[in-house]
Amino acid sequence: MSASQTSDVPTLLVKIFGKDRPGITAGLFDTLAAYSVDVVDIEQVVTRGRIVLCALVTKPAGNTDGELRATVHSWAESLKLQAEILSGTGDNRPRGSGRSHVTVLGNPLTAESTAAIAARITATGGNIDRVFRLAKYPVTAVEFAVSGTETEPLRTALATAAAQIGVDVAVVSAGLHRRAQRLVVMDVDSTLIQDEVIELFAAHAGCEAEVAEVTARAMRGELDFEQSLHARVALLAGLDASVVDKVRSEVRLTPGARTLIRTLKRLGYQVGVVSGGFTQVTDDLRERLGLDFASANTLEIVDGKLTGKVVGEIVDRAGKARLLRRFAAEAGVPLAQTVAIGDGANDLDMLNAAGLGVAFCAKPVVREAADTAVNVPFLDAVLYLLGITREEVEAADLA
């Protein structure tokens, strides 16, 4: 029976509560089957071992309504469950237009912050249709299915609320595209890895303070990225090329980085990195982590020594966005299906170009400009923004 066919027919909402155990769902529908009812809708939630099972069914033919109620109550009592049966007409009311998934990350997720997010959803005209937990560690992640308001105004409203209450919130449009094959491209320094590669090289060259000063000048706006890159790399002139292997061994992956990449790859995603750092490191990361794409600047090495120059195309702020588009074209993935992750101002063009831009433990200006922010130091938390649950991650690891 279609939704239109049940719009004005008598229906019964059968609700079962109690301690969960195997066979409850099968037992309820075995009981209902004796009355030849049609199933209109089913919802089931288990929280800390307690089940709430709701079945919306058509009212039985003839005068067997009372008999059905008595039978269901008797069955429930035999299992020490509670039953409630409510009469009504038709199906659930139609969901409002405009549908979004709202993912909330908290460490911890408090009742106060949850109340604030829910209130802001309501204030935008949205209705929370369903809530479920995606993960309980390393952060608590819950997802709200929201209807009745468009995604962009909802995202704007919740971004403000998230900043005020200290949680991470992502808002994406509902639809099949959310589970479609995607391309994820991330920055390297302070995103995929915990380090700044230029600083690792500088430590071996004994010029950490000088490199830090050039970086500070760039942050003050006295130098653009390309100028600061050339100035910092010039300080490495004469360094023996053997230091490359040492720097590679010193690179520390961000917690959750391996899990993020491994899970995405198992789900059929393609994954790449773009970096203002150096191919001498990103090529190694590509091989170690099984990345599909990698691009960065290249340190010039002549006669076994760093020359203090870079060769080839410069990967700067605009270059990162350009490479995102290039990777998407090569992967055959629409730009709207791309996800970009970064932490710095030179990632902004890439974050804005992607279908979903994620600011990871980022500077305030980046958090404000990105579609969403993750402020917990676990890179695999990005998985929850894509609707992937912790249970799916663990199941993939066991496969």
Side-chain angles (χ1 to χ4, degrees), residues 48-387:
R48 211 181 65 182
R50 308 293 292 185
I51 188 172
V52 178
L53 170 59
C54 297
L56 185 64
V57 299
T58 55
K59 191 174 181 180
N63 297 316
T64 57
D65 184 0
E67 183 183 335
L68 180 149
R69 291 171 181 269
T71 303
V72 169
H73 280 288
S74 177
W75 166 81
E77 289 172 6
S78 72
L79 296 177
K80 298 182 179 179
L81 300 170
Q82 293 179 284
E84 180 181 7
I85 303 176
L86 304 174
S87 298
T89 301
D91 198 349
N92 306 306
R93 64 179 178 82
R95 296 177 63 189
S97 61
R99 300 182 185 181
S100 305
H101 296 287
V102 176
T103 306
V104 182
L105 308 181
N107 190 24
L109 181 62
T110 66
E112 181 182 10
S113 58
T114 305
I117 293 297
R120 193 61 62 93
I121 291 172
T122 301
T124 65
N127 184 71
I128 298 171
D129 301 313
R130 186 173 296 131
V131 185
F132 65 95
R133 186 177 69 185
L134 293 167
K136 60 182 179 182
Y137 71 92
V139 297
T140 300
V142 295
E143 182 172 287
F144 297 80
V146 177
S147 62
T149 187
E150 296 302 320
T151 299
E152 285 305 321
L154 180 62
R155 178 182 290 154
T156 300
L158 293 183
T160 303
Q164 293 170 345
I165 62 181
V167 297
D168 298 334
V169 178
V171 182
V172 297
S173 297
L176 292 175
H177 68 275
R178 196 179 187 211
R179 286 287 188 166
Q181 185 181 22
R182 284 185 173 184
L183 168 68
V184 177
V185 176
M186 67 190 88
D187 175 42
V188 175
D189 292 11
S190 299
T191 300
L192 178 63
I193 66 174
Q194 301 176 58
D195 312 282
E196 294 288 329
V197 169
I198 185 69
E199 294 178 3
L200 297 179
F201 277 101
H204 290 281
C207 59
E208 294 169 277
E210 293 90 337
V211 165
E213 172 56 27
V214 175
T215 300
R217 289 180 63 195
M219 292 181 67
R220 291 194 299 267
E222 297 172 11
L223 298 172
D224 65 21
F225 177 82
E226 185 170 350
Q227 290 173 319
S228 69
L229 174 67
H230 288 304
R232 287 179 289 182
V233 171
L235 295 169
L236 306 180
L239 196 61
D240 193 276
S242 62
V243 78
V244 169
D245 288 334
K246 295 177 183 178
V247 168
R248 287 174 174 174
S249 68
E250 292 166 352
V251 165
R252 301 168 300 162
L253 292 174
T254 298
R258 288 187 182 277
T259 299
L260 171 68
I261 294 168
R262 181 175 63 246
T263 303
L264 291 173
K265 296 289 291 178
R266 287 175 175 172
L267 292 174
Y269 287 60
Q270 297 187 63
V271 184
V273 294
V274 290
S275 176
F278 309 110
T279 57
Q280 282 82 0
V281 171
T282 57
D283 287 350
D284 180 62
L285 290 170
R286 177 176 183 169
E287 183 176 348
R288 286 166 51 195
L289 300 174
L291 301 172
D292 299 285
F293 304 97
S295 189
N297 300 298
T298 299
L299 293 169
E300 184 180 57
I301 298 175
V302 176
D303 297 329
K305 302 287 184 180
L306 273 64
T307 67
K309 299 177 181 179
V310 292
V311 295
E313 181 183 11
I314 297 298
V315 179
D316 56 7
R317 175 170 169 168
K320 288 187 174 186
R322 184 170 60 250
L323 286 163
L324 171 71
R325 294 187 177 93
R326 183 188 303 172
F327 293 168
E330 293 178 11
V333 175
L335 200 59
Q337 292 300 112
T338 62
V339 179
I341 310 168
D343 75 298
N346 66 332
D347 297 315
L348 280 173
D349 289 3
M350 175 177 72
L351 297 181
N352 290 331
L356 177 66
V358 180
F360 178 74
C361 295
K363 314 299 186 292
V365 65
V366 182
R367 291 200 302 268
E368 292 169 7
D371 294 320
T372 187
V374 172
N375 294 306
V376 293
F378 309 107
L379 197 54
D380 53 340
V382 173
L383 293 169
Y384 312 137
L385 306 184
L386 306 178

